[in-house]
Amino acid sequence: KRLQKELMALQSDPPPGMTLNERSVQNTITEWLIDMEGAPGTLYEGEKFQLLFKFSGRYPFDSPQYTDVRSVSDILDVLESVDNRTNERSLYRLHKDPSIGNK
């Protein structure tokens, strides 16, 4: 009940710079995809973030888990700022063995 109440509050009156991806809660209310904008006047101003929140059955006693979700283009932009040959090898290895990123 509490999670449902908080979800409804987020949908009806979200904090500034936060938007709930409505599709993320169509099938389950335990996973929320939130689009966020960096706060004005901070280092993050103008930046866009996407966070995935996962709530357990023990919420609110257990905190939700959250993950910074980034698109492939964002990751590639970051990788361009580092040695390209190293990046190409890393991306190739990750492509061939996706479990590398999960260790």
Side-chain angles (χ1 to χ4, degrees):
K1 277 195 160 199
R2 176 164 174 175
L3 188 58
Q4 179 69 36
K5 182 179 175 183
E6 291 182 15
L7 176 61
M8 290 172 53
L10 181 62
Q11 289 171 314
S12 63
D13 188 23
M18 288 182 70
T19 306
L20 173 69
N21 182 316
E22 296 290 339
R23 291 186 318 204
S24 70
V25 294
Q26 285 179 345
N27 296 324
T28 178
I29 67 164
T30 59
E31 293 188 10
W32 302 0
L33 194 57
I34 306 284
D35 295 312
M36 297 180 65
E37 297 177 11
T42 69
L43 176 65
Y44 303 104
E45 182 174 6
E47 297 289 328
K48 297 195 183 294
F49 303 93
Q50 193 171 58
L51 300 175
L52 174 63
F53 288 86
K54 293 183 179 182
F55 299 87
S56 76
R58 291 194 30 84
Y59 179 81
F61 302 106
D62 289 342
S63 299
Q65 295 178 339
Y66 66 93
T67 306
D68 183 6
V69 181
R70 296 182 186 263
S71 69
V72 171
S73 63
D74 291 340
I75 293 170
L76 292 176
D77 288 344
V78 170
L79 291 176
E80 283 178 9
S81 66
V82 188
D83 177 37
N84 284 332
R85 281 178 278 166
T86 301
N87 294 337
E88 289 169 5
R89 286 192 301 267
S90 297
L91 285 172
Y92 177 78
R93 284 182 30 225
L94 186 58
H95 175 71
K96 289 294 184 187
D97 185 2
S99 68
I100 289 172
N102 296 326
K103 292 181 180 176

